[in-house]
Amino acid sequence: RVLFRSRLHNKAIKSTCKTYARQFVEAVHAKDQALAQSRLRTLVSELDSARSKGVLTRNAVSRKKSRMTKLYNVTFASEAAK
């Protein structure tokens, strides 16, 4: 029973992280820099929270944060140069 409860709890946290990641990617593809920046901040916060609760490993969180930040920088760096 305890495993079942903890699995549901972990699944909910992972699902929330995936939802925030999807919303961030949608904002980036829509070229909305302000929205993407706020979504990235929310996503990083949620990933750090999942790490502190032991749901995700340190390397997984670092990898996801790095990939999302890179996506943001690559997408909006070209617009900042214009």
Side-chain angles (χ1 to χ4, degrees):
R1 280 178 276 162
V2 174
L3 287 176
F4 181 74
R5 267 197 311 263
S6 61
R7 190 174 78 238
L8 283 179
H9 179 255
N10 291 347
K11 188 175 179 182
I13 293 172
K14 286 181 187 178
S15 176
T16 303
C17 289
K18 288 177 188 176
T19 300
Y20 284 131
R22 182 178 44 78
Q23 290 174 348
F24 167 72
V25 170
E26 287 172 359
V28 169
H29 288 312
K31 304 287 189 198
D32 188 346
Q33 187 170 6
L35 181 62
Q37 190 172 21
S38 70
R39 294 259 167 95
L40 178 61
R41 197 175 303 122
T42 306
L43 173 61
V44 167
S45 172
E46 197 65 31
L47 287 171
D48 288 336
S49 173
R51 169 64 194 116
S52 70
K53 293 173 185 171
V55 177
L56 296 173
T57 63
R58 185 180 71 214
N59 287 348
V61 170
S62 293
R63 183 177 63 243
K64 291 172 195 289
K65 287 182 353 186
S66 175
R67 286 177 182 170
M68 294 301 175
T69 305
K70 183 179 177 185
L71 174 65
Y72 177 84
N73 289 336
V74 165
T75 304
F76 297 113
S78 59
E79 291 182 12
K82 290 180 182 176

